[in-house]
Amino acid sequence: MLTNKLLTLILVVQPSRVLLGMKKRGFGAGKWNGFGGKVQPGETIETAAKRELQEESGLTVDALEKVGNIKFEFVGETELMDVHIFRADSYKGEPTESEEMRPQWFELDKIPFSQMWADDIMWFPLMLQKKKFVGYFKFQGHDLILSHTLEEVEEL
């Protein structure tokens, strides 16, 4: 039986660009990703998302739009990663490198999908169009998707 691990992911989006962070350590090190992490006991999912964004990038946000919920299974692992994905269109501060992440802006036509999680290229277009989605991805290791579902939804 898989246990559920609640996680957040925030993408900061501007009209022609998106802010990603190079993960410097821990799970997903060496990949570009959004900002986020574990929901702590007593925190709401949205509060955790804002906290992780501030810790990892130095940015603060007032408003988050929930755009997705994807569950990730990794063969051989006992935890199912339940990732709640948010989009922020406005922010305060300047992106600043942290111990965990090195932020960098990418033009929307130059997103480095070859250096990101393999599933990102499938749902990023939905997120960029502000469409809501749910999905399930089963990975072998960190690079091979064995199976997946992804669908657009009206509400989350």
Side-chain angles (χ1 to χ4, degrees), residues 28 35 45 86-87 96 113 116 129-130:
F35 303 88
I45 294 170
F86 297 88
R87 173 181 163 141
T96 306
F113 288 115
M116 295 167 67
Q129 296 170 66
K130 294 189 178 184

Side-chain angles (χ1 to χ4, degrees), residues 104-140:
Q104 183 176 322
W105 290 103
F106 288 92
E107 297 299 315
L108 295 181
D109 61 351
K110 295 187 173 67
I111 296 172
F113 288 115
S114 66
Q115 299 169 63
M116 295 167 67
W117 286 97
D119 59 281
D120 290 355
I121 199 167
M122 296 183 210
W123 60 262
F124 252 63
L126 294 171
M127 179 273 300
L128 291 171
Q129 296 170 66
K130 294 189 178 184
K131 293 181 175 172
K132 295 181 177 8
F133 55 89
V134 294
Y136 186 94
F137 288 84
K138 184 174 186 175
F139 273 82
Q140 176 80 52

Side-chain angles (χ1 to χ4, degrees), residues 20-117:
L20 299 174
M22 171 53 71
K23 189 81 182 325
K24 293 161 54 175
R25 65 177 193 201
F27 188 80
K31 294 183 188 293
W32 290 103
N33 203 352
F35 303 88
K38 294 187 255 332
V39 177
Q40 302 296 343
E43 266 186 327
T44 66
I45 294 170
E46 191 167 311
T47 301
K50 290 178 178 179
R51 175 185 52 76
E52 288 282 354
L53 177 68
Q54 200 279 325
E55 287 175 3
E56 293 181 351
S57 74
L59 300 181
T60 57
V61 292
D62 292 326
L64 288 176
E65 181 183 359
K66 187 166 182 184
V67 293
N69 182 203
I70 300 178
K71 291 180 171 51
F72 294 94
E73 178 183 345
F74 289 85
V75 173
E77 295 294 323
T78 58
E79 284 185 321
L80 188 70
M81 295 186 165
D82 181 7
V83 181
H84 293 255
I85 303 168
F86 297 88
R87 173 181 163 141
D89 290 281
S90 62
Y91 62 91
K92 295 186 184 102
E94 280 302 313
T96 306
E97 186 166 351
S98 63
E99 288 183 16
E100 198 166 339
M101 298 285 263
R102 177 170 50 85
Q104 183 176 322
W105 290 103
F106 288 92
E107 297 299 315
L108 295 181
D109 61 351
K110 295 187 173 67
I111 296 172
F113 288 115
S114 66
Q115 299 169 63
M116 295 167 67
W117 286 97

